[in-house]
Amino acid sequence: MQPDSEPYFIPSSYSRIIARELGLLERDLSKLLAGTGLAPEILLAGDESRITGEQQLRVMQNARVLGNAPDFGLRMGRQLQPSAHGPIGYVALSSPDLLTALMSLRDFLPIRIPFAYLTVEQDDRWLTCKVDYRLRADATQSRMLLECFVLVLQSLIESFLGRKLTEALIKLNYESPDYAASYGDYIHSLVLFNQEENCLQIPVAMGAELNPSGETDSHAAARSLCARLLEEVPVTSLSMSDRVKRYLLAQPVGSVNEEDVARSLFVSKRTLARRLQREGSGYRQIRDQILATMSSHHLRDSGLSVESIAALLGYHDSANFRRAFRRWHGVSPQEFRQQSKRQ
């Protein structure tokens, strides 16, 4: 596919992932953005800025130099779990089978990364996912992009299957890099270089693998609710509390803690607490507000059991969820649901 000259705009969240992978502190963010004309604020959690594809390539190039890491494309790709792509990743993981999940990624990825293209083909033997992009990039940048794309596919498939993907065949159209021995640390299947195309192939029978979670409807409902709540949080003039709220809503519920939030803002846990306190807030208060809102929505608008809601909100013990719900709302989950039905 030939590169286009038109600019493509993608979320700044991918550059935020790069900054976290490098372990940068707040004072170092400008180094990552050198030559882009971007302000460091775009790297803070909750920012919804969109940057051009060229700016993204420059950030990746800067990261490669800052980290003294020829293999930075692999390092970056390893961080691109399905959750990194927002609702698109969750739509894919809520699919009934693996083929549908890959088709979902094919259909929606250009919305998130407009210069990325994925085709899905199958024959009697292989299910083939071909990756391509429309962006002017030199050989090093191109290699980093392709490494990222391959690991995006691997991550989605492994998240869906719940295990490492070892049966795949990875074909890449560039020569074996100096760090080729490191590929095995990131990619779990056979990799072939100097190929005619860039693709990931899995045995065709794997496309029929069913979603092991068995709760696609509830997970889809959970992500839909998060998306709605996310829209209610302002995207400009963000306070620290707003940034924390947006970050929490953009992650799988219960998958992050206060330390993760602080790292996403490139500050220490103590600094985060101090800044939230100045706004009359705190991490636990924000988290409880989100969980209280989500729990009430689920009880009022869905037929999910209390146990299922507890699991969706990250509670391993439904009794702990019931106690927390009573603290938030003054009644038990069952009583809240009954009162909602009478209204």
Side-chain angles (χ1 to χ4, degrees):
M1 187 175 293
Q2 295 297 316
D4 288 348
S5 58
E6 66 176 280
Y8 291 99
F9 293 92
I10 63 176
S12 59
S13 56
Y14 293 107
S15 294
R16 194 150 53 243
I17 291 172
I18 291 174
R20 289 204 299 271
E21 170 63 22
L22 289 173
L24 298 182
L25 299 176
E26 194 174 32
R27 63 176 179 270
D28 300 319
L29 298 181
S30 59
K31 298 176 183 177
L32 182 62
L33 300 177
T36 65
L38 298 169
E41 285 73 23
I42 71 150
L43 297 176
L44 299 183
D47 188 274
E48 289 296 307
S49 300
R50 298 183 77 82
I51 68 176
T52 68
E54 287 73 18
Q55 288 171 323
Q56 182 66 80
L57 285 178
R58 182 59 185 266
V59 169
M60 293 176 69
Q61 183 176 326
N62 290 344
R64 186 172 181 270
V65 174
L66 284 172
N68 190 25
D71 64 345
F72 193 79
L74 295 170
R75 286 179 54 181
M76 170 66 175
R78 181 175 55 187
Q79 300 303 321
L80 297 179
Q81 301 297 312
S83 60
H85 311 297
I88 294 172
Y90 296 105
V91 168
L93 291 183
S94 297
S95 300
D97 55 60
L98 181 55
L99 176 58
T100 305
L102 292 170
M103 294 292 193
S104 297
L105 185 65
R106 176 200 65 185
D107 294 340
F108 293 113
L109 187 60
I111 298 174
R112 183 79 173 176
I113 309 177
F115 61 77
Y117 291 85
L118 175 69
T119 59
V120 181
E121 304 171 354
Q122 55 183 323
D123 55 26
D124 293 340
R125 185 182 180 190
W126 294 107
L127 181 59
T128 301
C129 301
K130 297 181 181 180
V131 294
D132 212 334
Y133 60 90
R134 289 177 175 171
L135 197 63
R136 297 189 185 280
D138 62 29
T140 298
Q141 294 168 338
S142 177
R143 186 174 65 241
M144 286 195 292
L145 286 173
L146 291 170
E147 288 168 344
C148 286
F149 290 159
V150 166
L151 284 164
V152 164
L153 286 169
Q154 176 181 269
S155 176
L156 172 65
I157 295 171
E158 290 186 342
S159 296
F160 193 92
L161 297 177
R163 61 174 177 83
K164 287 186 177 181
L165 173 65
T166 58
E167 306 96 319
L169 182 62
I170 314 296
K171 297 180 179 179
L172 298 168
N173 69 355
Y174 51 83
E175 294 182 358
S176 173
D178 294 338
Y179 56 90
S182 299
Y183 271 61
D185 297 331
Y186 300 88
I187 299 174
H188 307 136
S189 299
L190 178 64
V191 179
L192 300 177
F193 299 100
N194 290 312
Q195 301 298 298
E196 294 183 358
E197 59 187 2
N198 300 297
C199 66
L200 180 150
Q201 296 180 305
I202 58 176
V204 67
M206 291 185 66
E209 290 270 359
L210 299 178
N211 192 322
S213 74
E215 294 189 29
T216 57
D217 290 342
S218 60
H219 283 285
R223 291 315 309 164
S224 175
L225 174 57
C226 280
R228 293 206 311 270
L229 294 175
L230 199 53
E231 290 176 357
E232 297 174 4
V233 183
V235 296
T236 58
S237 302
L238 292 177
S239 65
M240 184 63 72
S241 300
D242 289 334
R243 292 188 184 278
V244 171
K245 187 178 297 185
R246 289 194 65 85
Y247 180 76
L248 290 176
L249 286 170
Q251 314 304 315
V253 180
S255 67
V256 296
N257 55 32
E258 189 171 2
E259 287 80 6
D260 297 321
V261 174
R263 280 195 295 270
S264 77
L265 292 161
F266 307 102
V267 297
S268 67
K269 181 179 172 181
R270 181 176 298 178
T271 298
L272 173 63
R274 186 169 61 251
R275 293 183 182 179
L276 288 175
Q277 186 178 33
R278 284 203 296 263
E279 296 177 1
S281 185
Y283 169 77
R284 185 177 295 276
Q285 178 183 342
I286 296 170
R287 178 180 177 275
D288 280 359
Q289 287 173 348
I290 291 173
L291 292 175
T293 300
M294 294 182 71
S295 62
S296 62
H297 274 281
H298 283 309
L299 285 166
R300 185 171 56 246
D301 302 332
S302 79
L304 297 175
S305 67
V306 173
E307 288 72 21
S308 294
I309 295 171
L312 284 174
L313 297 184
Y315 284 87
H316 301 295
D317 184 348
S318 61
N320 288 336
F321 167 68
R322 287 183 169 88
R323 284 193 290 272
F325 190 91
R326 184 177 288 277
R327 186 175 71 251
W328 299 328
H329 297 283
V331 295
S332 70
Q334 293 88 342
E335 291 169 334
F336 182 91
R337 175 167 273 170
Q338 292 172 356
Q339 290 174 5
S340 298
K341 289 180 180 178
R342 291 196 295 266
Q343 292 177 354

